[in-house]
Amino acid sequence: QVQLVESGGGLVQAGGSLTLFCAPSRSIAVINGMAWYRQISGKEREWVASVVSGGATNYADSVKGRFTIWRDNARDRLTLRMDNLKPEDTGVYYCQGVYRGRDYWGQGTQVTVSS
């Protein structure tokens, strides 16, 4: 098993930046694909960005050019840098990782962007 713990959420004004972190209970090196998802009030959870163990990344169109995901192997954590935040980015952000073929999820961290 692996536990994922998110941190870094908070309140920011539109146009501002936040950085989210996800700390796994095992070395990030043994976790394959990792991703960030978010759930906006009243909507289904949606994929935001992902990174594979080799470092290749993908982004949802809604965040492309504003968000950056990377695996910080030195600090053993997944990071999501969010720039030029918009009110529609408000939601609970979840870290997801695949370990031994099974999906694991964190508890989520709230991001609120005020207009």
Side-chain angles (χ1 to χ4, degrees):
Q1 285 191 337
V2 61
Q3 286 76 47
L4 302 172
V5 179
E6 301 98 336
S7 61
L11 173 64
V12 65
Q13 288 190 329
S17 299
L18 278 176
T19 301
L20 303 184
F21 303 100
C22 172
S25 58
R26 295 181 180 271
S27 168
I28 197 171
V30 302
I31 301 174
N32 296 325
M34 297 193 77
W36 288 96
Y37 285 73
R38 66 187 180 188
Q39 187 158 22
I40 298 169
S41 181
K43 296 186 177 181
E44 297 282 324
R45 189 175 296 188
E46 64 178 10
W47 167 74
V48 173
S50 57
V51 58
V52 297
S53 55
T57 58
N58 278 291
Y59 298 91
D61 287 343
S62 59
V63 307
K64 201 172 292 184
R66 300 188 298 121
F67 290 13
T68 306
I69 186 173
W70 73 94
R71 300 167 69 109
D72 188 337
N73 293 328
R75 292 180 173 84
D76 250 345
R77 65 188 184 189
L78 178 71
T79 304
L80 181 70
R81 169 73 178 184
M82 305 184 293
D83 294 315
N84 191 21
L85 282 160
K86 304 176 181 180
E88 52 264 41
D89 294 317
T90 294
V92 179
Y93 284 69
Y94 296 91
C95 174
Q96 179 258 356
V98 179
Y99 175 66
R100 292 187 176 182
R102 183 178 169 184
D103 278 350
Y104 291 88
W105 294 85
Q107 294 295 312
T109 185
Q110 176 71 42
V111 171
T112 303
V113 185
S114 63
S115 57

